[in-house]
């Protein structure tokens, strides 16, 4: 999968989407250090160890670079940035039963707005899976010759 580039100075507003989710009892917010093990366990249960490892790094940053989605206080999604490389977005994931509610979009925008506030003009989405989603939501463009990217030669379980 190719990487994608996002112009952070052209981000869509996020407030309306957050208010809509809040009305449905879904909250998007930055995770805090005491939640680390709960978040890592949730990511391990719903996704994979590589994402757990990246999420762990996001908790080592100050401020934490992991956002979480909660529905009635129960975790339903997460998104990280600056986990494997500076200025990179990901990993991100939403539980299967919470998909289609706008949670993934809200987590993505929360991270992108945080990256903009951190002083970046552009962000990179590493090994972008749903490229059409990123194009539609952020106007992201594919970075030519970016495959296999930063994960080239990464150790994999046998």
């Amino acid at each position: 999968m190719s990487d994608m580039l996002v112009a952070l100075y052209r981000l869509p507003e996020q407030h309306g989407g957050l208010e809509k989710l809040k009305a449905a009892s879904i909250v998007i917010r930055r995770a805090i250090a005491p939640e680390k093990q709960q978040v890592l366990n949730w990511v391990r249960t719903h996704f994979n160890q590589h994402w757990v490892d990246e999420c762990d790094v996001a908790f080592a940053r100050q401020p934490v670079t992991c956002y979480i989605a909660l529905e009635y206080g129960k975790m339903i999604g997460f998104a990280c940035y600056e986990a494997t490389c500076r200025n990179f977005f990901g990993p991100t994931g939403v539980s299967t039963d919470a998909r289609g509610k706008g949670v993934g979009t809200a987590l993505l925008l929360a991270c992108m707005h945080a990256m903009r506030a951190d002083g970046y003009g552009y962000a990179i989405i590493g090994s972008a899976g749903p490229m059409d989603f990123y194009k539609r939501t952020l106007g992201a463009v594919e970075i030519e010759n970016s495959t296999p990217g930063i994960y080239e030669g990464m150790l994999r379980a046998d």
Side-chain angles (χ1 to χ4, degrees), residues 6-152:
V6 178
L8 295 175
Y9 50 84
R10 292 191 189 131
L11 289 174
E13 125 355 269
Q14 63 176 348
H15 184 72
L18 292 175
E19 289 302 314
K20 183 179 173 185
L21 288 175
K22 189 175 179 181
S25 299
I26 297 173
V27 175
I28 306 295
R29 65 168 174 78
R30 190 182 296 264
I32 60 173
E35 299 170 315
K36 177 181 172 179
Q37 285 308 312
Q38 287 179 272
V39 172
L40 297 181
N41 289 340
W42 187 90
V43 173
R44 183 177 292 107
T45 298
H46 291 86
F47 297 99
N48 62 64
Q49 187 60 44
H50 293 297
W51 285 11
V52 172
D53 294 340
E54 288 179 298
C55 196
D56 192 16
V57 171
F59 271 90
R61 298 204 175 274
Q62 189 61 282
V64 171
T65 57
C66 178
Y67 279 78
I68 56 176
L70 306 169
E71 185 173 32
Y72 298 106
K74 178 184 168 194
M75 191 164 162
I76 59 170
F78 81 105
C80 300
Y81 67 98
E82 296 206 341
T84 298
C85 286
R86 289 204 184 272
N87 201 24
F88 268 66
F89 169 77
T92 184
V94 175
S95 64
T96 53
D97 57 332
R99 293 178 187 165
K101 297 179 179 182
V103 174
T105 299
L107 286 164
L108 171 67
L109 289 175
C111 286
M112 292 293 145
H113 280 274
M115 292 172 81
R116 176 69 174 147
D118 287 348
Y120 291 110
Y122 294 88
I124 299 165
I125 302 171
S127 293
M131 294 179 83
D132 288 337
F133 168 71
Y134 294 126
K135 287 177 186 177
R136 185 177 62 253
T137 306
L138 301 169
V141 294
E142 185 175 354
I143 300 173
E144 192 174 326
N145 299 318
S146 62
T147 303
I150 63 170
Y151 300 104
E152 181 176 18

